[in-house]
Amino acid sequence: MSRTIKVLLAEDQSMVREALAALLGLEEDIEVVAQVARGDEVLEAARAHAVDVALLDIEMPGATGIEAAARLHEELPAVKLVILTTFGRPGYLRSAMESGADAFLVKDAPAAQLADAIRKVLTGERVIDPTLAAAALADGANPLTDREREVLRAAADGSTNAELATTLHLSQGTVRNYLSTAIQKLAVRNRAEAVRTAREKGWL
């Protein structure tokens, strides 16, 4: 009999996490050996349970699934990474691939498809939701620099330029320049629209 695939499930919504675990538990060759609700608990759990595959939700407290994937990829490169999302944002796909993810699927995919993806990544294949892949190609690359993204993220709560300058240890003029450039690149009218557009595309 083939070896059982040990899976870590990281998802902050307990009902979703338990449902996924139950569905995967029906597969003869897959066992969910660890469950966590926070992104910053992923690495420790993966290490403690010697998992083969980590299923990571994007939106989690502590760290996003993409951030957790990057840490796992660096610390435990043998662990295969499957990103799950309810948000079909093309920019997330690009970020996930850059973080070392082996698969990127939407959460409402059939359980059989998810189980199949787990088996495929263990053989070295990459599995990407075709609709998201097409949308990512159509959307193009993220035009924002790391600094512009950092300033936009910090500006999301409505902070003034002076507050942003203090938080980010930059001058007010530099903050203004980053925001202005981001607004121009995204072809929007103001910072609020820039934040919303960048989030919708998964670029923040």
Side-chain angles (χ1 to χ4, degrees):
M1 185 177 171
S2 60
R3 184 175 69 86
T4 300
I5 302 166
K6 294 195 288 186
V7 171
L8 161 68
L9 187 50
E11 158 67 59
D12 64 324
Q13 296 181 47
S14 58
M15 284 181 66
V16 175
R17 187 174 67 248
E18 287 162 14
L20 282 170
L23 288 168
L24 289 172
L26 298 175
E27 303 290 328
E28 287 187 7
D29 58 339
I30 295 173
E31 182 185 359
V32 177
V33 295
Q35 297 183 42
V36 298
R38 296 176 56 88
D40 52 5
E41 295 174 351
V42 167
L43 180 60
E44 185 180 345
R47 194 174 267 140
H49 295 274
V51 301
D52 302 302
V53 178
L55 299 186
L56 308 170
D57 179 35
I58 285 185
E59 300 283 336
M60 288 187 289
T64 68
I66 290 173
E67 290 166 344
R71 285 196 67 193
L72 271 177
H73 185 61
E74 184 178 334
E75 301 278 339
L76 299 171
V79 176
K80 298 297 183 179
L81 307 170
V82 178
I83 300 286
L84 295 174
T85 181
T86 48
F87 307 103
R89 296 173 186 168
Y92 279 158
L93 171 57
R94 205 173 288 274
S95 299
M97 293 300 112
E98 288 171 359
S99 73
D102 300 284
F104 192 90
L105 299 169
V106 288
K107 271 190 210 168
D108 57 5
Q113 187 178 328
L114 178 55
D116 191 47
I118 288 170
R119 297 181 188 106
K120 282 181 174 176
V121 296
L122 277 177
T123 67
E125 287 188 54
R126 269 197 165 175
V127 184
I128 299 170
D129 181 276
T131 307
L132 287 176
L137 287 172
D139 245 14
N142 182 354
L144 302 172
T145 65
D146 288 344
R147 267 300 200 184
E148 287 159 3
R149 288 164 62 197
E150 182 184 17
V151 173
L152 270 186
R153 270 196 295 265
D157 64 359
S159 295
T160 65
N161 285 358
E163 289 167 339
L164 291 173
T166 301
T167 302
L168 300 171
H169 308 292
L170 298 169
S171 71
Q172 287 190 52
T174 301
V175 167
R176 196 161 42 244
N177 288 341
Y178 280 131
L179 288 172
S180 176
T181 305
I183 288 166
Q184 286 177 354
K185 285 181 178 180
L186 296 172
V188 293
R189 292 172 299 179
N190 54 50
R191 70 167 73 183
E193 286 186 11
V195 169
R196 187 170 66 249
T197 298
R199 277 183 170 163
E200 285 172 355
K201 291 185 178 292
W203 289 341
L204 279 192

